[in-house]
Amino acid sequence: QGSLDCPNLEFGYGDADGHGAELSELYSYTEEPEFGTNRRCFEEDFHTQVRGRRWLELDGEQQKAHIMHLLDGLEVVNRDKRLKVARAILYLAQGVFGDCDNEGDVLRWSRHNSFLLYQLGTFTAFLELLNMEIDNSQACSSALRKPAISLADSTELRVLLSVMYLMVENIRVEQESDPPEWKTCRETFRMELGFPVRPEEPFALLLFTMVTKFCSGHAPHFPMKKVLLLLWKVLLFTLGGFEALQAMKVRKREELGLPPLPEDSIQVMRSMRAASPPTYCIELLEQQQQQKRGHRSRRPLMKQDSLDIYNERDPFKNDEAGIDEEEGDEVDGGIEGELDLMERDAIIPAMPAQRAPIERVSFPKGLPWAPKVRQKDIEHFLEASRNKFIGFTLGQDTETLIGLPRPIHESVKTLKQHKYISISDVQIKNEEELEKCPMSLGEEEVQETPCEILYRAMLYNLPQYMIALLKILLAAAPTSKAKTDSINILADVLPEEMPITVLQSMKLGIDVNRHKEIIVKSISALLLLLLKHLKLNHIYQFEYVSQHLVFANCIPLILKFFNQNIMSYITAKNSISVLDYPHCTVHDLPELTAESLEAGDNNQFCWRNLFSCINLLRILNKLTKWKHSRTMMLVVFKSAPILKRALKVKQAMMQLYVLKLLKIQTKYLGRQWRKSNMKTMSAIYQKVRHRMNDDWAYGNDIDARPWDFQAEECTLRANIEAFNSRRYDKPQDSEFAPVDNCLQSVLGQRLELPEDFHCSYELWLEREVFSQPIRWEELLHYQ
């Protein structure tokens, strides 16, 4: 499993995989017979309505007329008849593959029919049916009574969710050849999903509710993979993908009067090259030889463990470094010294007379990222300088430089040149002012964005949503052992009759692994998307979700996920290309053999697994950035060897996020760890953004004091609660509501009295006024 054979992975990171691949992942291989069922349900009805013609031969009006006829069929009470009609509509959304000759035609007609179905109100009709199925207590109770749940228990839900997914995905994806009415249609659909009519909740919230209902054990038959895929695509459609996010960020910075971004991070990462991780195999051979000799020889240049995961030293053990190791640091020959001596031993005997052919490291001409400095960094620098040269400090004053030597003036000037004010900094400052002066600043104007609407709807059940997503992620992680108490996420992949032959078992095994991979992909993508959008919308919304993810053990869960042979996971071939949609709909399926199970997939890596890994690393970065308490969690859970193993994957973006995670914890890992991992340290210097005055490599940082970690989370929580209560808990009788205390205006108000008031007025007066003694002493007491 060494890195010698790992080639550079040509991977294009984006919002999602190719259109065909995304549609194919909707279906399990066990669902394949249902394609034929959908076709029969459509054709039986279609041939009675339109004799001797195919769907492709009808004009637009005739197609619309038939869809309207099908939608009328959904209104019937009989459940089986309704399911047949829903299957016929699903066949249309799947691209009337019975009339198509190739895969391109199927995808083209799938898009065409999806727009047609949306224009005639199919999505709304299916939403009503979905609500009925979610509330179907009979289906829930029968599923709870069954010892084993299978594909058959979720038939209606799977058909409904498949139609909705195909419509969302086909309409979401833009193509240059789309007619103008399709573009209008797309915007209308996006508005409909993102900005629901007042009494309704966003569609995404209904799907979140399905996830929590499934995890609570009340609805074990819900097809979770389809729900999660649809939820991810709805968020991607309504909130926007990574490029839309970047554009929104640029626009928001302009609105706040902040300087433009120093670079487009997506473009920078696309142009980065992967670094070659050091080798493992030679080290293993050398270790074995040493064990045979029965002793370990002392080597003067052994300062580099080559990202070694096999004999990782405990960072908390104070290994004594010998004098010869220190000398080795001084003497070694630059780049060549970076090579392991073990590696050199392996090369030199083969060519004693000439220098070993060493691959030269090509250093970049400039750093990939513009350095950044925070306001806090400038304040810390000036505080230290004033203490040293003058003997007193001026608090947060960063302008007064009197009494400081010339080089300090130059340093401050350089720091200010690279000062970066984030949108989050502005939002935190505004929040502090609103908390301080609620009366004078008045009501805050909150922009109604799809993100704001979604957060408001999710707010009160948000902890449950996060816990449910992480529970499913844990159940789908390849490192998780099957436990009796873990949730069953395979309800929508297991057939009614379990396989008999070895080949059928192999096919089901591949299907189950693929099913888990798709679940990991959808959860990692939707969590990242949610975090990024909430951070842009308001920092405390992001912090609220982040804190609940951390409390639900998201950090150890992601580390547990990476604690596997990550190269094997990324190169896993858990797919049978002949059974993938749309291939299986237009080609005759070959007889199932061991060869046909493996045929067709020649990719050097699995796109969805590499995508999932990068997403999970990005989530981990988002949760731990600038949070020392969470960085300590990375250290306590011994994440360094796990993360170093992930560096074996030669893909620049993935390596960058791993190096970022290693960078934030190096100051806690101790001198010996840093000394043994110089190659990793060099990679961090080359690839990760430089923060001036950031003492990450040496551990002298002011922020690295270990005693206030608990207080940090508590302060953050208090700020989040203050934000949520100020913006979202708005009682009618607020203490800031105006009070009319003028006697004349209060007595002069006209009150609507009931018609029979004059009949009972005297009785009321007698009971409530005349018969009640006036306690004057109490009045005096209240004054």
Side-chain angles (χ1 to χ4, degrees):
Q1 59 169 20
S3 58
L4 289 173
D5 303 328
C6 177
N8 279 311
L9 305 182
E10 296 299 322
F11 171 74
Y13 183 79
D15 294 320
D17 203 347
H19 186 53
E22 289 296 338
L23 295 187
S24 75
E25 288 179 356
L26 178 64
Y27 311 104
S28 303
Y29 297 143
T30 41
E31 287 181 272
E32 185 231 321
E34 294 186 20
F35 285 116
T37 314
N38 299 341
R39 182 179 175 180
R40 278 195 304 278
C41 290
F42 174 79
E43 288 180 348
E44 280 170 17
D45 180 60
F46 183 68
H47 291 317
T48 57
Q49 299 292 319
V50 186
R51 294 186 180 279
R53 294 178 73 188
R54 298 189 309 160
W55 176 260
L56 313 189
E57 294 164 2
L58 303 184
D59 61 28
E61 291 307 312
Q62 289 169 320
Q63 288 178 346
K64 284 180 181 177
H66 187 68
I67 290 171
M68 290 306 290
H69 158 73
L70 288 172
L71 290 175
D72 288 341
L74 286 178
E75 304 288 320
V76 298
V77 178
N78 186 307
R79 199 175 160 82
D80 292 335
K81 285 182 181 173
R82 218 167 45 223
L83 179 62
K84 280 188 79 172
V85 176
R87 281 193 180 283
I89 292 172
L90 175 55
Y91 175 69
L92 283 175
Q94 285 171 340
V96 287
F97 48 80
D99 298 347
C100 297
D101 300 323
N102 56 53
E103 295 169 37
D105 285 350
V106 176
L107 294 175
R108 197 162 51 252
W109 277 102
S110 178
R111 287 195 83 221
H112 174 271
N113 292 343
S114 294
F115 278 98
L116 209 56
L117 287 165
Y118 172 70
Q119 287 161 357
L120 297 172
T122 312
F123 194 85
T124 315
F126 271 70
L127 185 54
E128 286 175 19
L129 291 174
L130 182 64
N131 275 308
M132 280 168 55
E133 279 301 323
I134 292 167
D135 298 333
N136 185 349
S137 54
Q138 189 184 345
C140 293
S141 56
S142 71
L144 283 166
R145 284 196 303 272
K146 283 191 174 182
I149 303 166
S150 70
L151 212 57
D153 296 292
S154 59
T155 305
E156 283 89 351
L157 276 168
R158 282 186 297 106
V159 170
L160 297 176
L161 290 165
S162 295
V163 171
M164 294 170 105
Y165 178 86
L166 287 166
M167 288 174 71
V168 168
E169 183 63 3
N170 279 320
I171 295 172
R172 180 188 74 82
V173 174
E174 294 182 45
Q175 289 182 5
E176 288 179 13
S177 57
D178 289 354
E181 62 267 21
W182 282 14
K183 288 175 183 170
T184 316
C185 203
R186 182 177 295 116
E187 283 311 305
T188 315
F189 194 21
R190 183 185 278 131
M191 294 290 282
E192 191 181 304
L193 291 172
F195 295 95
V197 189
R198 264 281 158 241
E200 288 183 19
E201 55 197 19
F203 177 54
L205 197 76
L206 178 71
L207 299 172
F208 271 118
T209 312
M210 285 184 79
V211 174
T212 48
K213 201 172 175 186
F214 171 80
C215 282
S216 63
H218 297 311
H221 65 298
F222 281 2
M224 248 325 97
K225 184 186 83 173
K226 284 182 168 53
V227 172
L228 291 166
L229 279 172
L230 181 55
L231 176 54
W232 166 38
K233 290 304 167 66
V234 166
L235 292 182
L236 190 56
F237 188 27
T238 53
L239 305 182
F242 299 130
E243 287 186 7
L245 254 166
Q246 187 74 4
M248 284 156 71
K249 198 173 181 181
V250 169
R251 198 164 56 246
K252 196 151 189 173
R253 287 185 72 83
E254 277 177 20
E255 287 167 12
L256 294 171
L258 296 172
L261 290 164
E263 71 273 294
D264 183 341
S265 48
I266 297 172
Q267 296 305 321
V268 174
M269 278 186 274
R270 278 178 185 160
S271 61
M272 286 175 84
R273 300 289 302 155
S276 296
T279 54
Y280 292 79
C281 300
I282 299 168
E283 290 181 357
L284 286 175
L285 284 168
E286 185 71 13
Q287 281 173 22
Q288 286 165 5
Q289 285 168 9
Q290 284 174 352
Q291 283 163 8
K292 282 174 191 171
R293 288 199 295 267
H295 71 282
R296 290 180 66 87
S297 56
R298 189 90 178 143
R299 295 184 178 277
L301 286 176
M302 267 296 289
K303 71 182 179 73
Q304 166 66 42
D305 264 9
S306 293
L307 315 178
D308 190 0
I309 55 165
Y310 299 103
N311 56 351
E312 176 68 19
R313 295 195 182 102
D314 190 332
F316 298 101
K317 284 181 187 167
N318 186 14
D319 288 23
E320 288 185 8
I323 299 162
D324 49 357
E325 287 191 64
E326 293 283 356
E327 286 170 356
D329 276 347
E330 312 249 309
V331 176
D332 80 58
I335 298 160
E336 292 170 31
E338 284 286 288
L339 276 173
D340 242 1
L341 193 73
M342 294 179 179
E343 209 169 322
R344 230 179 264 184
D345 280 353
I347 298 166
I348 291 168
M351 293 178 288
Q354 62 192 74
R355 280 182 66 84
I358 295 164
E359 187 185 335
R360 305 296 293 184
V361 179
S362 56
F363 290 105
K365 288 186 174 67
L367 298 169
W369 306 98
K372 280 183 183 177
V373 178
R374 295 183 298 167
Q375 176 70 16
K376 195 174 158 188
D377 298 331
I378 302 174
E379 287 167 15
H380 281 167
F381 176 71
L382 277 170
E383 188 179 0
S385 302
R386 285 175 186 140
N387 267 328
K388 183 178 177 183
F389 293 105
I390 308 171
F392 66 89
T393 61
L394 298 173
Q396 295 181 331
D397 182 349
T398 57
E399 299 304 317
T400 311
L401 301 175
I402 296 163
L404 295 173
R406 192 80 203 148
I408 300 293
H409 287 239
E410 292 295 323
S411 301
V412 172
K413 185 184 171 187
T414 308
L415 288 173
K416 285 184 177 175
Q417 275 175 352
H418 292 97
K419 182 177 160 186
Y420 176 77
I421 303 168
S422 67
I423 295 167
S424 304
D425 296 338
V426 177
Q427 289 170 340
I428 290 168
K429 198 176 176 189
N430 290 346
E431 196 57 35
E432 284 170 4
E433 287 172 6
L434 281 162
E435 283 292 322
K436 215 182 289 176
C437 323
M439 298 287 280
S440 57
L441 291 173
E443 283 288 311
E444 179 193 15
E445 278 188 35
V446 181
Q447 201 177 347
E448 282 289 280
T449 60
C451 191
E452 181 64 34
I453 291 165
L454 181 65
Y455 180 78
R456 198 188 307 128
M458 286 174 68
L459 181 60
Y460 296 106
N461 290 318
L462 200 139
Q464 288 91 308
Y465 299 146
M466 295 305 115
I467 289 166
L469 286 172
L470 292 183
K471 266 187 178 178
I472 299 169
L473 185 60
L474 176 64
T479 48
S480 294
K481 303 287 177 284
K483 291 178 186 168
T484 48
D485 58 341
S486 68
I487 46 177
N488 175 22
I489 53 167
L490 304 176
D492 51 330
V493 71
L494 296 175
E496 280 184 281
E497 295 171 5
M498 292 309 279
I500 308 160
T501 66
V502 175
L503 280 170
Q504 285 174 340
S505 300
M506 280 172 67
K507 179 186 158 189
L508 185 60
I510 291 170
D511 205 2
V512 165
N513 289 339
R514 174 177 177 268
H515 183 81
K516 286 181 176 179
E517 287 173 4
I518 295 166
I519 286 175
V520 171
K521 172 188 171 181
S522 52
I523 292 177
S524 66
L526 79 87
L527 278 177
L528 178 64
L529 207 59
L530 201 59
L531 287 171
K532 284 187 80 69
H533 275 282
L534 288 173
K535 190 171 184 185
L536 188 59
N537 200 50
H538 199 289
I539 182 65
Y540 284 138
Q541 294 176 348
F542 161 80
E543 294 292 8
Y544 187 52
V545 174
S546 298
Q547 203 162 56
H548 280 294
L549 285 171
V550 172
F551 291 163
N553 277 338
C554 185
I555 293 174
L557 169 54
I558 295 176
L559 292 174
K560 180 184 170 77
F561 179 89
F562 279 96
N563 194 16
Q564 58 170 313
N565 184 341
I566 211 73
M567 274 308 298
S568 298
Y569 185 71
I570 280 167
T571 55
K573 297 276 194 290
N574 286 315
S575 58
I576 307 165
S577 53
V578 292
L579 296 179
D580 280 336
Y581 169 89
H583 183 279
C584 66
T585 58
V586 288
H587 295 98
D588 293 330
L589 297 181
E591 194 181 337
L592 209 62
T593 61
E595 289 75 36
S596 67
L597 285 179
E598 293 171 9
D601 189 3
N602 298 320
N603 296 328
Q604 59 175 163
F605 60 91
C606 174
W607 196 95
R608 70 172 159 263
N609 289 356
L610 189 44
F611 178 69
S612 301
C613 288
I614 292 174
N615 287 342
L616 289 170
L617 287 168
R618 293 183 77 180
I619 291 166
L620 202 49
N621 267 293
K622 290 224 164 295
L623 297 181
T624 51
K625 191 176 182 182
W626 304 122
K627 304 281 190 306
H628 302 293
S629 53
R630 297 174 193 177
T631 305
M632 280 307 289
M633 285 178 80
L634 291 178
V635 178
V636 168
F637 289 118
K638 301 249 185 1
S639 67
I642 295 169
L643 292 168
K644 275 173 28 183
R645 193 179 314 160
L647 284 173
K648 288 165 65 181
V649 180
K650 286 173 76 173
Q651 204 283 322
M653 195 172 182
M654 184 163 165
Q655 285 185 347
L656 174 70
Y657 287 112
V658 171
L659 292 169
K660 278 185 173 189
L661 287 164
L662 286 168
K663 178 185 174 180
I664 59 173
Q665 56 178 313
T666 45
K667 58 185 160 212
Y668 303 109
L669 294 176
R671 182 173 170 275
Q672 183 58 47
W673 186 92
R674 293 194 292 271
K675 194 177 171 193
S676 305
N677 291 279
M678 286 311 292
K679 219 159 198 176
T680 311
M681 303 290 276
S682 302
I684 291 170
Y685 270 114
Q686 277 187 30
K687 296 200 175 297
V688 183
R689 186 191 300 280
H690 286 246
R691 295 251 171 202
M692 292 182 181
N693 283 15
D694 181 6
D695 203 3
W696 64 271
Y698 300 101
N700 304 324
D701 199 324
I702 299 165
D703 292 336
R705 305 285 180 261
W707 51 77
D708 59 348
F709 292 148
Q710 201 69 37
E712 186 184 59
E713 289 289 349
C714 291
T715 310
L716 180 61
R717 191 168 194 180
N719 290 341
I720 294 163
E721 282 174 1
F723 163 77
N724 281 335
S725 65
R726 182 188 63 73
R727 198 187 265 197
Y728 303 107
D729 297 347
K730 291 188 178 169
Q732 295 305 309
D733 52 343
S734 168
E735 60 181 301
F736 300 126
V739 177
D740 187 356
N741 53 11
C742 174
L743 190 67
Q744 277 182 312
S745 68
V746 171
L747 292 174
Q749 281 177 7
R750 291 189 64 80
L751 293 172
E752 290 292 326
L753 299 169
E755 289 176 14
D756 59 344
F757 178 74
H758 63 278
C759 304
S760 58
Y761 172 64
E762 288 180 5
L763 187 67
W764 177 84
L765 207 62
E766 182 66 39
R767 192 178 66 235
E768 298 293 330
V769 182
F770 299 144
S771 65
Q772 295 286 343
I774 298 168
R775 301 186 184 89
W776 298 105
E777 69 280 0
E778 283 191 21
L779 282 172
L780 289 168
H781 172 71
Y782 283 121
Q783 278 185 334

